[in-house]
Amino acid sequence: MREHWASRIGLILAMAGNAVGLGNFLRFPTQAAQNGGGVFMIPYMLSLALIAIPLMWVEWAIGRYGGVRGHGTTPAIFKLLWKHPTAKYLGVLGLFVPFVVVCYYIYIESWTLGYAIMAILGGLPTAADLGQLGTPDYLAPFENLLKSYTGMNGTGIYNPSLMAYSMFIITVVLNIFILIKGISGGIEKLAKVAMPLLFVFAIILMIRVLTLKTPQGSALDGLNFLWTPKWDQLSNPKIWLAAAGQVFFTLSLGFGAIITYASYLGKNDDLVLSGLSASSLNEFAEVVLGASIAIPAAAAFFGVVAAQDIASSGAFNLAFVSLPAIFANIPFGNIFGFLWFTLLFFAGLTSSVAITQPVIAFLEDEFQLSRKKSVLFTMGVLFCIAHIPVFLASALDEMDFWAGTFCVIVFALIEVMIFFWAFDPQKAWEEINRGGIIQAPKIFYPIMRFITPVFLFVITFWWVIDILPQYLTKASWTAWVARGTLMGIAFALCLLVYISDRKRR
Ligand code: PHE
Ligand code: NA
């Protein structure tokens, strides 16, 4: 008997929990700031309409189609949709991508837990006089803390603190604890508590930040900086790739995670409206909340120019350096710091369970392992492999690049092609609309059949000719260890798919 979501609201919150993650609060504002400010939103909105919404419905429909037939992951589902011997191996990407991503995502998630604890227990550096020191010196103790916490010192082997390693173990155990309780008993229950709290925390922080005003500037300056379009940037292909990449990442598309969650729907459960609702929650958490916290806070406190520098130095600096540095200097700062990191932790936790579930579902569905065994086995292997990004320089970037950026787009292309070309476009469209509280607007039929695949093909092509060669020339020994590990994971998954397929026949 396959598990099912207990209620529609629980399903929508779980799907929103899947989508709303560190990407909304850290990745989105830094990407927007680095890619033309307000002008970033033009390719962003276009990608949303032409790739993301169609793909979201495709993933929900593929997942429900497979789930009804007893399969929650793409090796088996692609085989149902397309009777071709390679279909199941193309589906391996739907296990490879989420598994590789969770191996580093869960570690970053554990930092947010560590920082939440430090914020409330007073373990973060305390206030200094910004006017006297200037921004770089003022930020230095916070930067040093992040360096000693993660032990990330550039090249070779990292030396994480005992605290970081302990928090990593605790985070893994917490994920096990939730996943072992299953879909409705674990993931859905978590989402029903964590998601409302996440939104409340984010709104409190947004209000606090938007009323910040210092001699250096105000939050409004930050919003202005973030939303003023730099029109000359629109013709830069880099911005288009970044916007499409952000849309994928933030909505969890091309990761296999949505498909697996959707496989726990009933045959005639609505997906058109539920999918839109969950995606809207994610977009609200991104464009409204995500944009109104970190960057405006930095602009109010350090001035717009310094905020720009901070944003271009990356998402980690924004979250773990400049925000705690700001909270150190406002009344009840430890509480705000705690809210900020707890918010990030909830965002991370509801996403990490979602990216772990595909491999678990694969073991349950295709090898008939019990839930408990599947969870323990998956998490055991995950825990071991996660040591590579924890300890090896540039492994995290490699894994993020290959699995989380490149394969995601390729996998998305494969999904639409299998559903709307290899399967049957008419039936695919019916699958999407069956049981819908509303129907998908007809215009999406030609979009899904023609525009989305072409758009994805162009993006893939761009990556292959432009970005891939640059990336391949970066080659430290640690990067090669990471690449070797990725190949090992891909090979092991192919082997498992082969074995399960033989067993079935
Ligand atoms: N969407 C999540 C975020 O914004 C990341 C994620 C990707 C989670 C894929 C699950 C699956 O952070
Ligand atoms: Na997101």
Side-chain angles (χ1 to χ4, degrees):
M1 219 355 236
R2 202 174 173 74
E3 288 188 84
H4 283 287
W5 301 102
S7 65
R8 175 172 300 136
I9 182 76
L11 156 74
I12 292 175
L13 288 176
M15 282 285 196
N18 180 337
V20 177
L22 303 174
N24 298 52
F25 297 95
L26 308 182
R27 199 175 189 276
F28 174 73
T30 31
Q31 287 288 321
Q34 289 169 11
N35 290 289
V39 90
F40 183 72
M41 293 316 285
I42 293 172
Y44 184 95
M45 290 298 172
L46 258 171
S47 308
L48 201 63
L50 298 183
I51 318 183
I53 294 182
L55 233 111
M56 181 267 298
W57 281 328
V58 166
E59 293 204 349
W60 278 65
I62 289 182
R64 187 181 64 177
Y65 182 91
V68 168
R69 290 158 183 80
H71 301 286
T73 48
T74 46
I77 302 179
F78 282 1
K79 190 178 166 181
L80 288 173
L81 294 170
W82 185 32
K83 311 260 171 293
H84 189 276
T86 57
K88 55 181 177 296
Y89 294 111
L90 292 175
V92 168
L93 277 175
L95 300 171
F96 175 78
V97 169
F99 187 72
V100 170
V101 170
V102 76
C103 288
Y104 64 82
Y105 197 91
I106 203 167
Y107 182 47
I108 300 167
E109 175 188 331
S110 78
W111 303 352
T112 64
L113 178 62
Y115 268 69
I117 292 173
M118 287 194 281
I120 203 74
L121 296 183
L124 296 175
T126 46
D129 189 342
L130 175 61
Q132 217 176 9
L133 291 174
T135 304
D137 283 342
Y138 177 81
L139 285 175
F142 297 91
E143 271 164 11
N144 292 337
L145 175 66
L146 183 62
K147 270 202 201 114
S148 64
Y149 183 90
T150 63
M152 292 188 167
N153 42 21
T155 53
I157 295 175
Y158 290 155
N159 176 24
S161 61
L162 184 62
M163 169 96 174
Y165 195 74
S166 322
M167 288 300 142
F168 167 52
I169 292 181
I170 291 174
T171 306
V172 170
V173 170
L174 241 119
N175 274 273
I176 294 180
F177 187 77
I178 294 156
L179 286 164
I180 241 169
K181 292 200 152 33
I183 299 300
S184 59
I187 295 175
E188 187 171 345
K189 283 218 174 99
L190 166 75
K192 277 180 151 168
V193 178
M195 292 313 286
L197 281 176
L198 182 156
F199 278 97
V200 170
F201 290 0
I203 289 169
I204 295 174
L205 284 162
M206 178 176 77
I207 293 172
R208 176 67 270 237
V209 164
L210 292 182
T211 51
L212 267 182
K213 212 171 156 44
T214 72
Q216 289 76 249
S218 74
L220 244 41
D221 303 337
L223 285 178
N224 248 329
F225 154 64
L226 197 57
W227 293 116
T228 305
K230 302 192 186 62
W231 292 109
D232 57 316
Q233 291 290 307
L234 195 59
S235 55
N236 183 349
K238 184 182 141 250
I239 289 184
W240 289 77
L241 286 183
Q246 175 60 23
V247 164
F248 273 97
F249 191 88
T250 191
L251 286 164
S252 310
L253 295 170
F255 284 79
I258 303 271
I259 294 181
T260 300
Y261 269 21
S263 77
Y264 301 105
L265 275 118
K267 182 166 190 265
N268 295 313
D269 284 353
D270 157 78
L271 66 80
V272 176
L273 186 62
S274 304
L276 268 187
S277 313
S279 306
S280 308
L281 283 174
N282 180 67
E283 289 314 302
F284 175 71
E286 176 140 310
V287 177
V288 178
L289 303 175
S292 308
I293 301 177
I295 301 254
F301 208 76
F302 303 112
V304 172
V305 179
Q308 251 165 302
D309 291 343
I310 294 169
S312 55
S313 72
F316 293 159
N317 271 337
L318 196 61
F320 297 96
V321 175
S322 64
L323 278 208
I326 292 166
F327 293 140
N329 245 321
I330 64 176
F332 304 108
N334 52 347
I335 310 259
F336 287 112
F338 178 72
L339 288 183
W340 168 243
F341 289 112
T342 308
L343 152 82
L344 292 182
F345 181 65
F346 285 165
L349 183 61
T350 50
S351 291
S352 62
V353 291
I355 2 181
T356 316
Q357 186 61 30
V359 176
I360 295 171
F362 174 70
L363 296 176
E364 291 181 299
D365 297 339
E366 315 305 327
F367 288 90
Q368 283 74 45
L369 288 190
S370 70
R371 179 161 74 213
K372 197 168 154 204
K373 274 193 192 143
S374 309
V375 171
L376 291 177
F377 181 75
T378 307
M379 292 303 277
V381 178
L382 188 160
F383 179 72
C384 296
I385 294 179
H387 281 72
I388 291 175
V390 172
F391 284 101
L392 284 191
S394 71
L396 197 156
D397 287 342
E398 285 291 321
M399 296 165 84
D400 183 54
F401 174 77
W402 294 107
T405 320
F406 180 64
C407 288
V408 164
I409 294 174
V410 177
F411 186 54
L413 178 59
I414 294 173
E415 282 172 2
V416 217
M417 292 303 289
I418 287 190
F419 205 40
F420 269 87
W421 287 87
F423 181 53
D424 176 335
Q426 216 53 52
K427 272 204 240 158
W429 182 251
E430 276 166 32
E431 270 300 320
I432 288 173
N433 283 299
R434 182 159 34 77
I437 297 174
I438 57 170
Q439 301 286 297
K442 288 239 158 50
I443 179 77
F444 277 100
Y445 179 83
I447 293 181
M448 285 167 179
R449 195 156 150 80
F450 302 105
I451 300 182
T452 311
V454 169
F455 204 143
L456 286 169
F457 185 79
V458 172
I459 296 177
T460 310
F461 188 74
W462 234 328
W463 270 99
V464 171
I465 59 162
D466 196 44
I467 311 223
L468 221 54
Q470 288 173 33
Y471 219 89
L472 273 172
T473 53
K474 276 206 269 174
S476 55
W477 69 268
T478 53
W480 280 107
V481 173
R483 288 171 196 168
T485 310
L486 294 182
M487 287 199 288
I489 296 172
F491 180 75
L493 288 171
C494 286
L495 198 66
L496 286 179
V497 166
Y498 173 78
I499 296 170
S500 72
D501 191 63
R502 288 249 335 215
K503 242 181 36 184
R504 199 146 19 111
R505 279 186 283 150

